[in-house]
Amino acid sequence: MSTDVPPRRRYVKVRPVEPRDFPGIIALCERTYPGSPPWSASQLSRHLEIFPEGQLVAVDRGQDVVGYAASLIVYWNDYAMDAPWKEFTDGGLFTNHDPVLGRTLYGAEVMVHPEIRGSGIGGKLYEARRALAERLGLLRIRAGARLRGYAKHAERMSAEEYVRRVARGSLRDPTLSFQLNRGFHVLAVVPGYLKYDAESLGWAAVIEWINPAVATAAELAAVPRW
Ligand SMILES: CC(C)(COP(=O)(O)OP(=O)(O)OC[C@H]1O[C@@H](n2cnc3c(N)ncnc32)[C@H](O)[C@@H]1OP(=O)(O)O)[C@@H](O)C(=O)NCCC(=O)NCCS
């Protein structure tokens, strides 16, 4: 991908995933998580069969995939707060998608091409995800935010302390700060979320955005303070 165009001036469009996007999504995964197996075409096509509206890409003018966000609907009571990513996504297959009982849109994946991060593409994917939750009348969006900057601080502080500092703005985490700036708050800090993730050492913050059009006053008041 050329980096001639300054990030701020890049055109991108967010739209639902189509099968022609699969090679681009796989290449993006390989760039984002080198050394980890990327999504396979058969997993991606399963996601499209199960919940097509929940699968989004950001594409540039040439229809190259520069960003990707995958979601499913879960019935939250089926899961422990500290369940790992594998459980929330049924090992990445999304066969646990439950649009009947579920009121929670679960953010299973979000990634932007490393060369053009910081140009608003992640924000656009998050806006589209929020619009989806609103359109479907869901109560909330939840996700595990892997604590990408934590390994560098792990000798000096616990993961909880790290999250507290990120939430208060005295530290910046490349993922969690982005999410907190988009209306999410932290519910819990959990170990073992992505077991082999060296940057987070497996730690994640369970994060939530509440749909104010659907939430009760009690649900809105229950938002924890970090
Ligand atoms: C998290 C992620 C999707 C954000 O995507 P993005 O396109 O960089 O997001 P945006 O440009 O909309 O916002 C990034 C924020 O970082 C700031 N930023 C500035 N320069 C930046 C840079 N060079 N790189 C990244 N972010 C930068 C932006 O100004 C923005 O700040 P804000 O939150 O105060 O608005 C992206 O960093 C990513 O793909 N990370 C790797 C995968 C990952 O960890 N996913 C999350 C799994 S839980």
Side-chain angles (χ1 to χ4, degrees), residues 66-78:
V66 293
Y68 169 60
S71 312
L72 64 154
I73 297 172
V74 297
Y75 178 55
W76 193 263
N77 295 5
D78 282 346

Side-chain angles (χ1 to χ4, degrees), residues 185-200:
H185 50 261
V186 174
L187 294 176
V189 180
V190 298
Y193 181 72
L194 285 172
K195 227 173 165 184
Y196 302 107
D197 181 20
E199 289 176 309
S200 67

Side-chain angles (χ1 to χ4, degrees), residues 16-162:
V17 169
E18 297 171 15
R20 66 180 161 137
D21 302 317
F22 292 174
I25 296 171
I26 293 166
L28 181 62
C29 287
E30 285 166 342
R31 280 300 302 263
T32 304
Y33 298 111
S36 298
W39 292 105
S40 67
S42 71
Q43 281 174 316
L44 295 170
S45 101
R46 219 42 203 109
H47 302 167
L48 279 195
E49 280 162 31
I50 289 171
F51 185 34
E53 308 107 287
Q55 319 313 319
L56 301 167
V57 272
V59 293
D60 64 13
R61 280 188 205 284
Q63 295 295 311
D64 280 339
V65 173
V66 293
Y68 169 60
S71 312
L72 64 154
I73 297 172
V74 297
Y75 178 55
W76 193 263
N77 295 5
D78 282 346
Y79 304 86
M81 185 64 91
D82 62 354
W85 180 90
K86 269 185 152 181
E87 239 175 79
F88 281 115
T89 61
D90 196 16
L93 286 176
F94 297 5
T95 38
N96 53 329
H97 174 63
D98 186 349
V100 177
L101 290 178
R103 300 182 73 203
T104 304
L105 189 68
Y106 188 75
E109 184 79 278
V110 63
M111 56 177 72
V112 168
H113 194 289
E115 284 173 15
I116 49 173
R117 286 182 194 155
S119 57
I121 299 169
K124 281 191 177 175
L125 286 163
Y126 260 58
E127 259 171 48
R129 194 181 256 171
R130 197 176 55 212
L132 174 67
E134 286 169 344
R135 203 162 66 240
L136 298 178
L138 295 173
L139 171 61
R140 60 199 172 199
I141 304 173
R142 284 184 175 178
R146 70 190 184 99
L147 302 179
R148 231 169 101 205
Y150 179 55
K152 287 190 211 131
H153 297 271
E155 277 185 12
R156 290 183 299 282
M157 65 186 85
S158 66
E160 284 82 0
E161 179 59 21
Y162 176 78

